[in-house]
Amino acid sequence: MNDLLPIIDDITGKKRPIIIAGPCSAESQDQVMDAARALKQLGVDVFRAGIWKPRTRPGGFEGVGVVGLPWLKRVHDELGMRVATEIANHSHAEAALAFGLDTIWIGARTAANPFAMQEIADTIRASGRAAELTVLVKNPVNPDLELWIGALQRIYNAGVRRLGGIHRGFTAYGKHIYRNQPQWHIPFELARRYPNLPILCDPSHIGGRRELISPLCQQAMDMGYEGLIIESHCDPDQAWSDAAQQVTPEALGVILDSLVIRDVRQTTESLGMMRREIDRLDNELLEVLNRRMAVCRDVGRYKLEHRMPVVQTSRYKDIISSRMDSGEKMGMSPDFIRNVFTAVHEESVRQQVKIHNESNENPETPAR
């Protein structure tokens, strides 16, 4: 895969960033055309809309299906925009290619399934359109770089050379800041191994909330991504899928206008890389602290059930002393470690006291 051709040569003539935008789902022909016209005014390079929507559970809106393909073709024919949609199996690929779509992407669930990936790759090869097709592969739902590379290689082996990756974050259990954890080090390692492979960022799926899209876009640009794929709907709150993470075309215009595009070839890029690693580690610290506080709340419930006091002085002294010793062995100042774990302990106590106070306010509610 070392001779991958950059997708930006084929789409926008080396423009950075590439912007792919459009609604999460194609809902009607009018909705598609209204969004496409508004996005064309912003200079969006590729119009995107999902016509097949893989859902976690049955019963949800799963897309309009092939009836939406003529709507996308109309965007191409009337507005001159490239159009893209997601495919997940042989029949999707066959239908999209038959309608002449020049750009397709493969979603995270599909990228995690080697059988589905090979089925799609075989369909592309059999179509005879591999040389003219642009294919973007999202990272698998689980943080497995080799699985992502394998999915890309299957498409590459089918004859596709306009190939790129989309970083959309990784699924994690529990509540988090982001809908899907960025784990920036994984796409960073992909870029290190395959420097000619363009990688785009999907801030909509990483963030899951529209207020997170702008900072995620900027972070992606700072990290040298080639482009962005963003969900944009003319009336996001009424969207049939993923309403919370879509922005209006007007809001997208503000986001794009505010982006600072730096020359990633500058000699300060090494410093930027190290700072991004610090940002990643800080996010990991926050996740660990979040898990620690969850355990502390369980401790608080146990103490409540067994009528134990929240603060136990001997335990606190043991924590501070042992952490200071461990930190000093790692080359950190004992005073620094004392301050950190004093603050952590105070927050742990606050969490436990909150549980006791809530129990006092609702005495008939069992602790757990």
Side-chain angles (χ1 to χ4, degrees), residues 23 40 77 105 135 198 243 254 260:
K40 182 178 174 63
D77 293 345
W105 79 85
V135 182
V254 173
V260 178

Side-chain angles (χ1 to χ4, degrees), residues 37-101:
R37 291 188 188 99
L39 294 169
K40 182 178 174 63
Q41 293 297 314
L42 299 179
V44 167
D45 302 300
V46 183
F47 177 78
R48 57 137 293 155
I51 62 171
W52 297 285
K53 300 301 299 180
R55 313 312 297 174
T56 301
R57 295 183 178 181
F61 174 63
E62 296 184 338
V64 296
V66 292
V67 70
L69 285 170
W71 307 345
L72 298 184
K73 190 173 187 303
R74 184 181 170 192
V75 170
H76 177 271
D77 293 345
E78 293 188 15
L79 302 181
M81 300 178 75
R82 281 179 169 260
V83 293
T85 199
E86 177 180 348
I87 62 170
N89 57 37
H90 161 75
S91 62
H92 294 172
E94 197 170 56
L97 295 174
F99 258 85
L101 264 66

Side-chain angles (χ1 to χ4, degrees), residues 276-292:
R276 291 191 289 272
E277 179 67 5
I278 288 174
D279 290 341
R280 181 183 71 79
L281 292 170
D282 284 348
N283 285 333
E284 287 187 7
L285 278 174
L286 287 170
E287 293 292 341
V288 170
L289 285 171
N290 181 48
R291 293 197 296 272
R292 189 188 194 280

Side-chain angles (χ1 to χ4, degrees), residues 38-293:
L39 294 169
K40 182 178 174 63
Q41 293 297 314
L42 299 179
V44 167
D45 302 300
V46 183
F47 177 78
R48 57 137 293 155
I51 62 171
W52 297 285
K53 300 301 299 180
R55 313 312 297 174
T56 301
R57 295 183 178 181
F61 174 63
E62 296 184 338
V64 296
V66 292
V67 70
L69 285 170
W71 307 345
L72 298 184
K73 190 173 187 303
R74 184 181 170 192
V75 170
H76 177 271
D77 293 345
E78 293 188 15
L79 302 181
M81 300 178 75
R82 281 179 169 260
V83 293
T85 199
E86 177 180 348
I87 62 170
N89 57 37
H90 161 75
S91 62
H92 294 172
E94 197 170 56
L97 295 174
F99 258 85
L101 264 66
D102 46 39
T103 304
I104 56 176
W105 79 85
I106 298 169
R109 292 178 175 89
T110 309
N113 184 338
F115 293 109
M117 287 303 306
Q118 191 59 52
E119 179 181 287
I120 291 170
D122 292 342
T123 305
I124 291 172
R125 183 190 295 277
S127 74
R129 295 194 55 211
E132 65 191 60
L133 190 64
T134 295
V135 182
L136 306 172
V137 181
K138 289 194 175 186
N139 63 256
V141 290
N142 46 315
D144 186 337
L145 177 59
E146 297 306 321
L147 195 58
W148 194 3
I149 291 174
L152 288 159
Q153 287 176 329
R154 290 177 191 277
I155 300 300
Y156 183 81
N157 291 342
V160 174
R161 294 298 179 267
R162 293 200 288 269
L163 183 63
I166 297 176
H167 173 214
R168 51 78 78 191
F170 302 88
T171 300
Y173 180 75
K175 294 182 179 181
H176 302 276
I177 298 170
Y178 301 111
R179 176 182 177 183
N180 294 293
Q181 298 303 99
Q183 300 208 36
W184 299 101
H185 61 290
I186 295 178
F188 182 80
E189 176 61 16
L190 178 66
R192 188 192 68 78
R193 292 199 205 179
Y194 302 100
N196 288 332
L197 177 73
I199 301 177
L200 285 68
C201 182
D202 180 349
S204 303
H205 279 87
I206 291 177
R209 305 198 311 273
R210 59 182 65 110
E211 64 267 22
L212 295 176
I213 291 176
S214 182
L216 283 167
C217 286
Q218 186 61 60
Q219 188 166 358
M221 290 299 95
D222 292 345
M223 295 183 73
Y225 283 57
E226 297 293 348
L228 303 163
I229 177 166
I230 304 171
E231 293 187 349
S232 180
H233 191 293
C234 290
D235 189 3
D237 290 333
Q238 302 304 315
W240 294 1
S241 60
D242 287 347
Q245 66 190 41
Q246 300 192 63
V247 296
T248 63
E250 292 78 13
L252 178 60
V254 173
I255 291 170
L256 297 180
D257 287 344
S258 67
L259 281 179
V260 178
I261 310 300
R262 300 178 176 86
D263 183 355
V264 297
R265 297 167 296 179
Q266 293 185 48
T267 56
T268 56
E269 179 61 14
S270 294
L271 177 61
M273 289 165 56
M274 289 184 282
R275 285 173 173 167
R276 291 191 289 272
E277 179 67 5
I278 288 174
D279 290 341
R280 181 183 71 79
L281 292 170
D282 284 348
N283 285 333
E284 287 187 7
L285 278 174
L286 287 170
E287 293 292 341
V288 170
L289 285 171
N290 181 48
R291 293 197 296 272
R292 189 188 194 280
M293 293 307 158

Side-chain angles (χ1 to χ4, degrees), residues 22 43 112 204 250 270 287 310-311 318 323 327 329 338 340 368:
S204 303
E250 292 78 13
S270 294
E287 293 292 341
V310 170
V311 179
D318 288 343
R323 279 31 164 201
K329 290 174 182 176
R338 180 192 296 112
V340 168
R368 181 120 109 180

